[in-house]
Amino acid sequence: MQDNPDLKKNSENGGDKSGNNKKILMGILAFALISTFFMNFFMSAFSGGNMAEIEYSDFISLVEKDAVNAVEFESDRLIVYADASKTEIPKEISKIYNNGEVIFYTGIVGDLELVGTLKEHNVKFSRKVKNSSPVFDFFMSWIMPILFLYIAFSLIMHFAVKKLGGGGGIMGVGKSNAKVYMQKETGVTFKDVAGQGEAKESLQEIIDFLHNPDKYIKIGAKQPKGALLVGPPGTGKTLLAKAVAGEANVTFMSLSGSDFVEMFVGVGASRVRDLFKQASENAPCIIFIDEIDAIGKKRDGSANSNDEREQTLNQLLSEMDGFDSSKAIVILAATNRPDVLDKALLRPGRFDRRIIVEKPDLIGREDILKVHSKDVILGDDVDLKAIALATSGAAGADLANMVNEAALRAVRMGREKVLQEDLMEAVEVIIAGKEKKDRILSSKEKRIVAFHEVGHALASALQKNSQPVQKITIVPRTMGALGYTMQMPEEEKYLMTKDEIISEIVVLLAGRAAEEIVFDTVTTGASNDIERATKMGRSMVSQYGMSEKFDMMALESTENKYLDGRNVAICGENTVAALDEEVLKIIRECHQKAVSILKENRKALDEIAEYLYEKETITGEQFMDILKKVNGDEISQ
Ligand code: ADP
Ligand code: MG
Ligand code: ZN
């Protein structure tokens, strides 16, 4: 859907790049040389250089001349401390120690009388347990090999990566990787973004500034440097950013937050620097940092905080402060986790504008469907509004996907047009997964599933507040559902009353209730129903203030509300226990209610379930027909 014909990897000019490589190579060589030098220095310092080798026989004669003060036995040689005044000093020896000693060494010849000779001439002798200091040992056995490996590995990677023609690789140290995407024209305009009226309005000013910076500069107004697009995944944040560039007709440079983060400290920061440098060369332009939470997380100073990320963030902050605001560069960023962003990013002069990109409402969904079906040949029976109604909660990306799925299905069916049934099937695929015709249920299981699903549907139809059913099926789906009841809202709802939530919980629990009543047994097939019902019941108590016990007290708050955030308790432990009890009470009541509704309508339950068992899929109308026939005119929907 978003093919980018002009998209090109913006490789920096080649000379610069190879220059960088050379620098790195030089750096490594210098490092190797220096470390070798240090190693030798340490070696000589610790093993006390400045010694000359002498023959063993010379050594013995020195002992016999009483010129030797002490002898130290080493594993492979003897160190001889001799009196300089009584010794001829060979020219290799440049140093005479303070006490007038010179040091020689000589090989070991297995002289059995040596000890005796030494004793005779009063020479001190000893054997050191260890020949070197622990620091030196540690250095030699740990640091050196690691350094060596690091250098070797780096060099190998460097040349391997270069040979493969890849850019960054592990040796991207200090080099800004060519991951900046520069597009002269995005080819996307606001026309391609359906709905999102408010977001577009907020962005309009930015577009105007990019068109016409002088107007703002003249009057002395400072333009917002950056805007943050916030919203759930798939709602069109990236699309909107591109559309802004398209509308303003400026260069679009985009980079994802994770592109900055690499193994080596300092890479991200240098990428940020580079990005801004390129941007100022290409002004007017838009810099778009997607998924900014990857680098913009709060710096919490905890032990496991990530230095690299912080450096990158700091660089970003200082670049944002530093660049010339008259240069017509606007920075957009997108995230679905605004709550984790560092405060410093959000302060005035940085991403001070927050543009909320919400999931589309009914009209928005219809518009998005229209935009994406523009190039699709639709049959006459297609009613996009009905599809929009059935897809409450879907984001733009889901809807775009649905239209495509429908088109694919039409092709599979050998049709030349997309019909409503293709679209409906696509909706179901997105909601419940593909039909799985090859999964054969035993007839007993199939019967249980039929009663379970009809239980849901009946509870829904019989409670005034519930939505009528659209379709019931017991054909298994890939996402685990053995059957399901598709409900069809008649209008978009933004608020739910307490009664509506209760009746929805009853509907969820009615599947299992039907199994209990009819088969006097329970199965594992209700786990998802139970989970959802419990969640709703819990929210009633903990967040919506709908229980008597806790009145309007908040017991839980939602984290990451743009992702499927989890609820965290914000109350004491005892209160959590009481909350659980309260939820259980709601669930019990709803369960009872489901059972009694179905018991009262046992005849309808049996008839519809048998019919469903036979047909496998029935429509909402067929369902209502049987219900009316059984119940007379009592029920009118
Ligand atoms: P986000 O960045 O918010 O996760 P994207 O901008 O990448 O989402 O959207 C993904 C796709 O979904 C887009 O390429 C587009 O096809 C479709 N889409 C999302 N929102 C809209 C919209 N409002 N209008 C038209 N298409 C949309
Ligand atoms: Mg995106
Ligand atoms: Zn169920």
Side-chain angles (χ1 to χ4, degrees), residues 110-121:
D111 178 356
L112 295 175
E113 287 152 14
L114 178 61
V115 172
T117 321
L118 291 177
K119 275 184 181 159
E120 215 179 295
H121 292 270

Side-chain angles (χ1 to χ4, degrees), residues 452-453 456 483-485 507-508 510-512 515 525-530:
H452 178 108
E453 295 306 331
H456 285 309
Y484 76 104
T485 303
V507 170
L508 284 169
R512 161 64 75 81
E515 293 176 31
S527 60
N528 185 256
D529 298 338
I530 292 171

